[in-house]
Amino acid sequence: MAPESVGGRPTARGDAPHMTAAELVSSVIPADDDGAPTADRYDWQAAMAAADGLRLYQDGLGDDGRLRPECEDWILCEWQEDWILISGEIVELVSGKHRDTSAGAYTTINKLADDGGLAHLFSRWAALKERVLCRLVTSGGLAAGDPRHLLNAMTSLRSTKPQMPHMSDFEHRIVVGKLRTAINTHCEVTKERWSGSGVSVVVPDDERDIEVARFLAALSIHENQIQRDHIAYAAPGMFVQPVLDKMQVSAPADAVWSAVLAVFQSRMRGRGRLPIGELPSVLQRGNTYKGFPSDLARKLQMRTVTMSDIEQAIHVAAALPGGYAQLPPLPPTSRLEVKLDVSGCSANTIERARSLRMAYRDYWSDRESGDPTARVERLRLERRLQRLSDEATDTLQPQGASLWRRLQELVDALDPMLLPPGMDADLVMGGICDLTDQCMIWFGPRFDVDVVLERGKLERRTSA
């Protein structure tokens, strides 16, 4: 019997103990809980979770454009995995992995297990009694060869579940074996369980392969998702506008996206708003983890996004779109800012570049005020940095953010013993930024920087 599907996703099947899959996934304590504290660095994950939440919300809308009363879906953030979709008895663990274009596609199963997080997903799937679905969402692609063979194996296994084939007869047994080896290498929890550490018994290789095959039948991979540099521009049209159309609501899609994304960013940091005065009403909702210890229930609640949360964010943004509109960026005030801005670097990169350049100039100001040899040392370093920039653009000709990352890689690889005393990689990047400001390094084609600067000055005077 083939697995059922809801919303294009296969449903999870398994034994039916007294706990539902949603209760199980909430009650099993994760082996690690480092997601929420580090979520500030992973806004891309919050955006992908928000996109999933909007799809769930859209699926829950009736023909009248309103949320159906029986729709009680919700998303649990940074628990077990990056986020979890819970729709009735269907529970799906999702791992979000951003991969820069410069890193290329996943070329091996080993990379998928390690960098792609499949080993960790497997561990959580096994801990949850194999009763959940799993999904990898990544901006990276899957290269030809083993990664593509793994996708074919997933499709084949999904169609034969729950009657799993014997591995000796299974055409994809080689790729299953490679994933089993990679999981054993990159997941200590699974390695200990399979090797019989403690009171458990050793799991033979053929049984491990069958277990990995069951995991693949519950797994899906969404590759080549939108890159973080483009998501702010593409998300309103891709994820929000279809929802507004179905709701028959006229509202700026970018404002709604900002409102919904803010909800997910807050929940993925584990600091969702939960005023004490609202606690009684919150506890009356259907997904308040009734019966759980109060501290655990509160922690889970602060990481939960319900369909009502998404609906409220949409309506607030529709009523007050100006409150969620992005402020216009300030015109660049230096050659460095102009070059990075024109080449398409993000606002965060530009701010970091300004800070690094200031630190670099302060370093040499201190050195040159009391050391007569410092100026010669600085010029020697800057010639080396120009050579680095030449190497970075020698063949692939990267520009903008890609060139910034390439230069950072080259700087990180420099021998610290060859750097001036007390200088680290960040200060060296400050030197790259200072040379950029002097028009000795470019992040794209040459142009008249001073004309752009004067235009910015005129805009500031006009708006003042």
Side-chain angles (χ1 to χ4, degrees):
M1 177 180 176
E4 299 173 10
S5 64
V6 174
R9 302 191 306 273
T11 62
R13 288 293 187 185
D15 297 334
H18 66 283
M19 297 182 73
T20 67
E23 291 170 337
L24 181 66
V25 80
S26 303
S27 60
V28 174
I29 303 300
D32 52 65
D33 190 28
D34 60 350
T38 60
D40 288 337
R41 302 197 303 270
Y42 298 109
D43 281 345
W44 180 84
Q45 290 181 340
M48 292 295 99
D52 270 355
L54 285 164
R55 291 189 190 101
L56 271 184
Y57 181 80
Q58 183 178 357
D59 290 343
L61 294 175
D63 294 336
D64 59 355
R66 296 183 179 182
L67 192 65
R68 295 193 300 271
E70 66 273 18
C71 180
E72 296 182 351
D73 301 344
W74 75 96
I75 300 97
L76 183 56
C77 301
E78 296 295 349
W79 188 262
Q80 309 292 345
E81 272 296 343
D82 295 319
W83 66 94
I84 305 172
L85 302 182
I86 303 172
S87 178
E89 295 185 358
I90 304 172
V91 175
E92 184 178 40
L93 307 186
V94 187
S95 175
K97 300 295 182 184
H98 186 275
R99 193 169 176 87
D100 289 328
T101 53
S102 59
Y106 292 99
T107 55
T108 65
I109 289 178
N110 190 63
K111 285 185 177 295
L112 278 169
D114 186 15
D115 298 342
L118 291 190
H120 189 271
L121 261 176
F122 177 85
S123 172
R124 304 320 304 149
W125 169 82
L128 295 167
K129 312 301 182 185
E130 304 185 9
R131 298 185 61 223
V132 297
L133 301 173
C134 297
R135 175 159 49 103
L136 168 61
V137 176
T138 177
S139 58
L142 270 63
D146 283 345
R148 286 288 157 190
H149 294 158
L150 189 68
L151 282 180
N152 294 336
M154 288 162 48
T155 302
S156 178
L157 287 162
R158 194 175 298 125
S159 66
T160 59
K161 187 186 177 183
Q163 291 82 23
M164 283 295 178
H166 294 291
M167 284 297 104
S168 59
D169 302 327
F170 186 50
E171 61 176 318
H172 302 288
R173 62 185 181 278
I174 294 177
V175 77
V176 170
K178 288 183 178 180
L179 180 58
R180 177 248 300 166
T181 300
I183 289 172
N184 192 64
T185 301
H186 298 294
C187 181
E188 286 298 322
V189 174
T190 302
K191 183 177 182 179
E192 291 179 6
R193 176 169 63 85
W194 279 349
S195 64
S197 300
V199 297
S200 59
V201 297
V202 176
V203 179
D205 284 353
D206 57 346
E207 292 186 20
R208 298 181 189 185
D209 283 346
I210 292 293
E211 186 180 350
V212 171
R214 292 197 300 268
F215 168 68
L216 288 176
L219 175 69
S220 60
I221 298 178
H222 290 182
E223 58 174 322
N224 292 319
Q225 298 301 298
I226 187 170
Q227 290 282 332
R228 60 184 175 185
D229 292 340
H230 306 141
I231 200 162
Y233 307 103
M238 291 177 63
F239 308 135
V240 175
Q241 196 58 54
V243 176
L244 296 178
D245 291 343
K246 190 169 183 179
M247 294 176 68
Q248 302 178 27
V249 169
S250 178
D254 56 347
V256 172
W257 171 250
S258 295
V260 173
L261 178 59
V263 173
F264 278 86
Q265 288 172 329
S266 175
R267 300 304 194 267
M268 293 192 82
R269 297 184 182 110
R271 296 193 300 269
R273 295 182 59 190
L274 189 63
I276 296 300
E278 293 183 13
L279 190 57
S281 62
V282 167
L283 292 178
Q284 293 175 10
R285 288 155 66 173
N287 49 357
T288 56
Y289 315 103
K290 185 178 181 181
F292 284 31
S294 59
D295 57 340
L296 177 58
R298 182 179 177 85
K299 179 182 289 187
L300 290 168
Q301 186 62 48
M302 289 193 296
R303 300 186 185 197
T304 296
V305 180
T306 67
M307 295 300 99
S308 296
D309 292 330
I310 294 175
E311 184 171 64
Q312 183 178 15
I314 292 173
H315 286 303
V316 170
L320 301 169
Y324 295 93
Q326 294 186 353
L327 295 175
L330 294 174
T333 58
S334 68
R335 292 184 178 89
L336 169 65
E337 294 175 62
V338 167
K339 291 181 180 180
L340 295 180
D341 182 57
V342 168
S343 66
C345 288
S346 69
N348 289 337
T349 298
I350 294 173
E351 289 301 320
R352 179 167 179 252
R354 290 178 63 252
S355 176
L356 293 178
R357 177 179 177 248
M358 291 174 60
Y360 176 82
R361 292 177 66 85
D362 288 344
Y363 171 90
W364 286 114
S365 177
D366 292 341
R367 285 283 311 277
E368 292 178 7
S369 64
D371 183 355
T373 66
R375 183 174 182 276
V376 175
E377 195 173 0
R378 174 174 62 82
L379 294 175
R380 184 185 303 118
L381 172 66
E382 291 178 352
R383 287 194 296 271
R384 182 177 299 160
L385 296 183
Q386 285 184 281
R387 186 169 71 245
L388 278 185
S389 70
D390 189 30
E391 293 174 5
T393 56
D394 186 33
T395 54
L396 297 178
Q397 296 292 320
Q399 299 183 14
S402 297
L403 179 54
W404 175 271
R405 288 190 290 269
R406 176 58 180 153
L407 287 170
Q408 183 74 71
E409 292 170 357
L410 293 174
V411 166
D412 289 341
L414 289 174
D415 186 350
M417 300 300 295
L418 300 179
L419 299 179
M423 179 167 284
D424 58 13
D426 281 342
L427 282 178
V428 176
M429 279 300 292
I432 295 282
C433 297
D434 194 51
L435 290 172
T436 302
D437 193 75
Q438 299 176 47
C439 293
M440 300 174 73
I441 291 178
W442 293 78
F443 278 79
R446 295 173 64 92
F447 61 94
D448 195 329
V449 182
D450 292 330
V451 168
V452 179
L453 272 176
E454 287 299 322
R455 188 184 305 141
K457 293 178 182 178
L458 178 61
E459 290 177 3
R460 289 194 296 276
R461 287 196 297 267
T462 304
S463 61

